[in-house]
Amino acid sequence: MRTEYMAKYAKVRLAAKLMIAKYGKAAASIARLRARRSARQQDEAAVEAWASIARAADAALSRSREKRGVSVSAVLGGPLRRQQFTPDDLKRDD
């Protein structure tokens, strides 16, 4: 049962990644639109699949936004990189 769930979840994540690659930020809303169209056709399995893909796309896009907080150039070329730190009362016992 667990491996079946993991396989299904992996397929949903893959589908979400493909949607993001094709549609970018609009991937989740397009997946929701497809879920609504499937609901009109009374295809419950498709509704569940598209809704899961929409949630996974939202999650993937929000994770990527969180990671964008600080740029690499800000970390590597920022003012702290060139700053020298003075030791706090460091004494050597030789």
Side-chain angles (χ1 to χ4, degrees):
M1 176 71 177
R2 183 170 169 86
T3 57
E4 182 180 319
Y5 170 77
M6 295 298 283
K8 182 179 177 182
Y9 184 67
K11 289 178 184 178
V12 167
R13 283 184 30 217
L14 177 62
K17 286 181 182 181
L18 291 172
M19 292 281 293
I20 291 169
K22 186 171 184 177
Y23 299 109
K25 293 178 183 179
S29 59
I30 291 172
R32 282 189 213 94
L33 175 68
R34 291 182 181 180
R36 284 192 295 271
R37 286 181 183 166
S38 297
R40 278 189 232 123
Q41 296 173 355
Q42 299 175 348
D43 187 354
E44 293 299 319
V47 171
E48 181 183 338
W50 282 116
S52 297
I53 292 168
R55 285 191 299 270
D58 272 336
L61 288 170
S62 68
R63 277 193 305 272
S64 66
R65 276 192 296 265
E66 291 170 1
K67 290 181 181 179
R68 277 190 243 143
V70 179
S71 68
V72 174
S73 61
V75 172
L76 296 178
L80 292 178
R81 182 172 183 246
R82 292 180 198 89
Q83 183 179 6
Q84 289 186 349
F85 294 97
T86 56
D88 297 328
D89 298 326
L90 183 65
K91 297 177 183 172
R92 292 179 61 173
D93 293 330
D94 287 341

